[in-house]
């Protein structure tokens, strides 16, 4: 109910702004409306498209209702019209054979989303600034009665290892299981790369964090600064939440091992004066396993240096004073968890042949290729089958 109310509120806000003569929400079109209402029910699945055609803001995509057509044809026609109207291939990021709820029996091409599938996380999806293909103009054509989409693009990488996200069993406490399973499962794979330099030159720990939140700040990857101060504060607020939470997951795992109990207590005593986020991060990267724990660095800056990068590095992040001066308790996990909840739902974590980390759809497999199509704002995972490729789903690298 809460999610549905949020969606309806967005539509009403737009309508009110329009009546007042404002150009607010100028991006409101049929595609946006379909996204907003994706979680709504429909007695006839074709109405997920047709029922919206009466809204006067969505006349840019020309579609005539025809209930003699099967659902698969209605959805495919809508996607084709969106691509032709906007000259943008980004809509195909919503589909793929690896996405949750994909139903092969419907007969949709892999590049056409199944609009029958509800997606609660889409309600809270943040605005992102991804431009994977930059400003390149898409070149595409449809053939064999619009079943096949041909487009120019580039295969950039290939998955060599992956870990799916696993929802907890029904008899397990969801909160605790989710923290441990997500972080201890995905981080085990991420930590195998620690001894190998990341292709971008940043810390592997930081690369893992940026991957988990699908970071779109761009800072450190060619942009010398954040977009604005709010963007900077948001990034570090999530970073502190990450540093805290990986420690929580480590402690939860350590508490299952009696041999680590005394060492954990000793660690907490030694670092009683340290900030919670610094101590937690150091626990995660191996503090409990160091033979002589008393020889570990004791300053907050030294404990988290592996995350921010080595001192003097051009890639080093500088922690804002407000975070460095105060101890952020467990309540600071909120901003990170809110972002992560949206990003990791029905996702798998993978490592590529070039040493990058990424998030892909739940149905990703080793051997799937990372592809950037011209005119598509996010990379795709594709799977070669015979002489063509199937879209597996959108990915972040």
């Amino acid at each position: 109910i809460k999610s549905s109310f949020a969606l309806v509120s967005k539509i009403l806000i737009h309508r009110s702004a329009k009546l007042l003569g404002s150009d607010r929400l100028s991006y409101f079109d049929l595609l946006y409306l379909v996204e907003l209402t994706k979680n709504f029910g429909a007695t006839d699945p074709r109405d997920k498209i047709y029922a919206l055609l009466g809204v006067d803001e969505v006349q840019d995509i020309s579609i005539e209702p025809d209930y003699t057509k099967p659902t698969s044809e209605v959805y495919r026609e809508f996607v084709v019209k969106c691509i032709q109207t906007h000259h943008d291939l980004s809509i195909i990021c919503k589909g793929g054979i690896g996405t949750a709820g994909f139903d092969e029996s419907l007969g949709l091409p892999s590049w056409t989303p199944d609009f029958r599938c509800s997606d609660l996380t889409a309600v809270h999806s943040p605005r992102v600034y991804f431009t994977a293909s930059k400003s390149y103009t898409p070149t595409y054509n449809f053939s064999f009665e619009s079943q096949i989409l041909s487009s120019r693009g580039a295969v950039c990488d290939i998955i060599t290892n992956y870990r799916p996200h696993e929802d907890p069993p029904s008899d397990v406490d969801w909160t605790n299981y989710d923290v441990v399973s997500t972080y201890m499962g995905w981080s085990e794979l991420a930590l195998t790369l620690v001894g190998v330099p990341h292709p971008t030159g940043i810390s592997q720990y930081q690369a893992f964090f940026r991957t988990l939140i699908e970071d779109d700040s761009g800072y450190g990857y060619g942009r010398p600064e954040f977009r604005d101060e709010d963007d900077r504060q948001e990034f570090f607020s999530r970073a502190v939440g990450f540093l805290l939470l990986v420690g929580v997951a480590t402690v939860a795992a350590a508490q299952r091992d009696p041999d680590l109990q005394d060492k954990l207590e000793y660690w907490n005593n030694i670092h009683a004066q340290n900030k919670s986020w610094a101590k937690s991060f150091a626990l995660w990267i191996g503090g409990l396993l160091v033979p002589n724990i008393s020889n570990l660095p004791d300053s907050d800056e030294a404990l988290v240096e592996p995350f921010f990068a080595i001192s003097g590095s051009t890639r080093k992040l500088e922690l804002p004073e407000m975070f460095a001066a105060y101890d952020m308790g467990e309540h600071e996990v909120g901003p990170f968890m809110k972002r992560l909840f949206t990003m990791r739902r029905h996702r798998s974590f993978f490592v590529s042949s070039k040493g990058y980390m990424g998030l892909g759809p739940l149905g990703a497999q080793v051997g799937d290729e990372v592809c950037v199509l011209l005119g598509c704002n996010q990379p795709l995972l594709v799977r070669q089958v015979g002489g063509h490729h199937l879209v597996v789903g959108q990915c972040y690298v």
Side-chain angles (χ1 to χ4, degrees), residues 70-91:
T71 299
S72 60
E73 186 176 343
V74 172
Y75 289 176
R76 186 177 72 248
E77 180 187 27
F78 171 64
V79 173
V80 170
K81 289 291 182 67
C82 282
I83 292 174
Q84 292 174 334
T85 301
H86 297 158
H87 299 292
D88 188 326
L89 294 173
S90 300
I91 188 174

Side-chain angles (χ1 to χ4, degrees), residues 360-386:
L362 200 59
Q365 297 177 5
V366 170
D368 287 345
E369 298 170 320
V370 179
C371 173
V372 174
L373 296 182
L374 303 189
C376 192
N377 62 5
Q378 297 183 64
L380 296 169
L381 289 182
V382 297
R383 185 174 301 161
Q384 188 164 1
V385 178

